[in-house]
Amino acid sequence: MDLRNTLFMKRESKRSYHSRPIPKGVMDRLWERIRWSPSSSNAQPWRFIFVSDPEQHQKVMAGLARGNQWAAKAPTLVVVCARKEDDHIRDDNGVQYHQFDCGLATMSLLLGAVEEGLMGHPMAGWKHQPIAEALGIPDGFDIMCVVSLGYKAPIETLEGRAREYDESPRTRKPINEVITVDRFDFSVD
Ligand SMILES: Cc1cc2nc3c(=O)[nH]c(=O)nc-3n(C[C@H](O)[C@H](O)[C@H](O)COP(=O)(O)O)c2cc1C
């Protein structure tokens, strides 16, 4: 099987967007995919807020880092949040499953986006307060990620840093640095 044409390989975090809105039917299917994500003890702790209203969109943009202002063109910004109280606590391992599960559900969104001809780009560069205030996110909920979502535009629509990033090749560590078989066989600094 050639991996090149699979969703996994077609998913990418680029920065050039058309402002064309996402049709409702497409949105509904994305939501359904998110809903069916796996979670520890099936707790489904994720809360996704899809922001397409221009005024709300602008407010979320104001909370994004300067280096993420290319996201302004994306018609929808998705804010992923969760609270620790909804965690499936396991005393024996200390993993924050509400965070882990949000990651899984966000991947559902990202791969679902590819399947729908869209591009999602996850971001960690934002400030909690302005986004929480604009969207009415209650105390106790942490924002995990903001994802820009929309149809990809040609790279020529970008300029400056964002264009430089998108022109540089996507890279990965070699397999032997991240995966081993039967034992922890990685070099550790
Ligand atoms: C949790 C998370 C946070 C990220 N934050 C940002 C960000 O703030 N700004 C940005 O331009 N890209 C951000 N990225 C995108 C990564 O840089 C990108 O996923 C990585 O370089 C691999 O490229 P690829 O997604 O095209 O495979 C983030 C990705 C993840 C998963």
Side-chain angles (χ1 to χ4, degrees):
M1 182 190 180
D2 186 353
L3 277 183
R4 271 173 303 184
N5 277 326
T6 61
L7 291 180
F8 291 88
M9 293 310 196
K10 288 200 280 187
R11 186 210 57 78
E12 57 181 1
S13 306
K14 298 293 188 181
R15 295 167 179 80
S16 46
Y17 281 102
H18 283 294
S19 51
R20 178 154 58 105
I22 301 167
K24 180 168 182 323
V26 173
M27 209 61 117
D28 287 346
R29 290 193 296 267
L30 287 174
W31 296 358
E32 193 64 5
R33 288 180 180 93
I34 292 167
R35 195 164 82 90
W36 282 96
S37 301
S39 57
S40 180
S41 218
N42 204 16
Q44 303 160 67
W46 49 74
R47 301 291 178 265
F48 281 72
I49 307 167
F50 279 66
V51 181
S52 307
D53 172 76
E55 227 170 272
Q56 292 291 82
H57 186 287
Q58 210 170 1
K59 288 182 187 165
V60 174
M61 280 309 303
L64 292 192
R66 202 137 54 98
N68 283 334
Q69 291 302 309
W70 48 265
K73 279 244 180 97
T76 299
L77 297 169
V78 186
V79 176
V80 187
C81 57
R83 59 179 176 174
K84 196 170 168 41
E85 275 163 79
D86 294 329
D87 210 320
H88 171 63
I89 310 280
R90 289 186 59 104
D91 293 337
D92 49 351
N93 66 22
V95 174
Q96 305 279 306
Y97 280 103
H98 66 298
Q99 299 183 355
F100 186 90
D101 295 344
C102 279
L104 292 172
T106 299
M107 192 60 166
S108 298
L109 167 64
L110 297 178
L111 292 177
V114 177
E115 212 163 33
E116 296 287 354
L118 293 161
M119 180 174 68
H121 185 141
M123 289 173 275
W126 39 262
K127 286 203 172 72
H128 176 89
Q129 194 53 32
I131 297 177
E133 213 166 275
L135 305 185
I137 297 172
D139 288 350
F141 277 83
D142 294 320
I143 298 172
M144 305 290 161
C145 193
V146 180
V147 180
S148 57
L149 191 65
Y151 294 96
K152 190 182 171 190
I155 192 170
E156 290 73 27
T157 60
L158 279 181
E159 46 191 39
R161 261 279 172 72
R163 177 147 179 184
E164 275 170 40
Y165 281 133
D166 278 15
E167 276 169 346
S168 47
R170 295 171 63 233
T171 60
R172 286 297 188 270
K173 291 177 180 172
I175 284 183
N176 67 354
E177 284 187 23
V178 292
I179 301 171
T180 59
V181 176
D182 294 337
R183 60 187 293 269
F184 188 102
D185 194 13
F186 303 105
S187 57
V188 180
D189 302 332

